Amino acid sequence: MRRLALLLTFALLTAGPGLLAQELKECASPEGELRQIALRPDGKMVATVIRAPVRRTRESQVKLWDIASGEEVATFDYQALDLRPLTFSPDGRLLAAEGHGPVAIMIVWDVAARKELASFRVSLGASVTTLAFSADGKRLGATGGRSVQFWDVASGKELSSFKVLVPAYGSAFSRDLRTLASPNYPEIDLWDVTTGKLRATLSEHRGPVRYVEFSGDGKTLVAASDFYDRKRPFRGEIRLWDVATGRERAVFQEGIENVGPAHLSPDGKTLALLDQGIERVVRLKLLDVATGRQRLILPPADHSFTSHAFARDGRLFVFGTPDFKKIKLWEVSLPKNDGK
């Protein structure tokens, strides 16, 4: 197995008073295209999917990385599968991805044992677009095309399924795997996955909803949307919804342009989002939920932010891929909440 080169750097990117982005590591990957990145909830490990060159379009590798050391700790090779998406169980013990090939299968790995735990058939009729474990890691849910499907992880047995058109972007399961939030142009449909019935529709967005995510406690839904404005090409918007009541908790529009994925910190105080400005640079923005105050982090020269995730303890990690063949990882120091 080819070992990965590790370069330790500690460059600090200033982004306003009290806010620093610390570059932790840069890892050079073998030949291939970086397709997926997932952060383990405890913030100690990263999983990636590396796809082989075009001449071998269905050869993929799943690699596990230790964040503290920057070392590759496991590799799983699949000769005839295009693996996506990629997700850890809430306790970090399991990792899952769909293997899309002649036959679509779901693959689950035991992270500690560094081995494949189970694989079973997927019958969604289209590639998986949303994938999530239940809070206890015993069930797995997925969407794809016009279907939603659930399995028992230990046995691979299908538990239930129902038909509903789910877009190929932006949907999310609640942490207990009981609710599916699915964008429906300027609205969000909330589906009861036990009954397959529409539970509620959230409909105050000023444009198409691009991304949704449940907060860690499942009580808040984050919705990112954008809309056309004659004065500016794109105007972004973030809305926070109370899941139980369907009432709006907060709206953020000022200074938000072409909005990307948005995540709420575990304590609910900070909203982190990727935002592509008119200069076509993807920035990281941190919003104080109570005050709406924004702080901005720009990527280093010749790099681009591609995704971000909160660890369970509140640490925020940002990923970048300068050429799709390297992994760059930053840990962002969140501003302290002084109660003002």
Side-chain angles (χ1 to χ4, degrees), residues 206-208 225-229 232-237 253:
R206 296 179 63 182
S225 62
D226 56 36
F227 56 94
Y228 180 77
D229 189 306
R232 297 169 65 183
F234 289 97
R235 295 293 300 276
E237 177 183 87
Q253 293 178 347

Side-chain angles (χ1 to χ4, degrees), residues 194-213:
T194 302
T195 64
K197 303 294 185 181
L198 182 64
R199 177 182 294 164
T201 297
L202 310 177
S203 58
E204 295 298 321
H205 309 95
R206 296 179 63 182
V209 177
R210 306 297 184 186
Y211 305 95
V212 296
E213 185 192 65

Side-chain angles (χ1 to χ4, degrees), residues 134-148:
S134 59
D136 59 9
K138 294 181 179 180
R139 292 175 294 130
L140 192 62
T143 69
R146 295 177 178 270
S147 298
V148 182

Side-chain angles (χ1 to χ4, degrees), residues 102-181:
V103 176
I105 62 172
M106 192 67 67
I107 305 172
V108 180
W109 296 272
D110 184 315
V111 175
R114 310 285 195 261
K115 67 178 183 179
E116 184 178 311
L117 180 67
S119 63
F120 40 89
R121 183 85 174 263
V122 177
S123 56
L124 289 169
S127 296
V128 169
T129 55
T130 307
L131 181 63
F133 284 93
S134 59
D136 59 9
K138 294 181 179 180
R139 292 175 294 130
L140 192 62
T143 69
R146 295 177 178 270
S147 298
V148 182
Q149 194 170 5
F150 301 89
W151 301 269
D152 176 80
V153 172
S155 66
K157 179 182 178 181
E158 180 181 323
L159 299 174
S160 63
S161 65
F162 64 94
K163 298 291 185 181
V164 60
L165 179 60
V166 179
Y169 61 89
S171 298
F173 285 106
S174 60
R175 297 299 192 267
D176 59 9
L177 217 60
R178 294 180 179 178
T179 304
L180 172 68

Side-chain angles (χ1 to χ4, degrees), residues 210-211 224-227 232-238 253 255-262 272-287 294 296-299 303-308 324:
R210 306 297 184 186
Y211 305 95
S225 62
D226 56 36
F227 56 94
R232 297 169 65 183
F234 289 97
R235 295 293 300 276
E237 177 183 87
I238 303 291
Q253 293 178 347
I256 300 175
E257 297 178 34
N258 193 1
V259 70
L273 65 139
L274 296 183
D275 188 3
Q276 182 172 286
I278 57 176
E279 71 278 13
R280 310 298 291 177
V281 175
V282 178
R283 299 87 54 88
L284 173 70
K285 285 188 175 181
L286 301 179
L287 278 70
Q294 297 184 23
L296 179 68
I297 295 178
L298 293 174
H303 294 82
S304 176
F305 292 147
T306 57
S307 61
H308 63 297
F324 295 98

Side-chain angles (χ1 to χ4, degrees), residues 28 42-43 46 178 220 231 279:
D42 63 6
V46 171
R178 294 180 179 178
T220 302
K231 296 180 181 180
E279 71 278 13

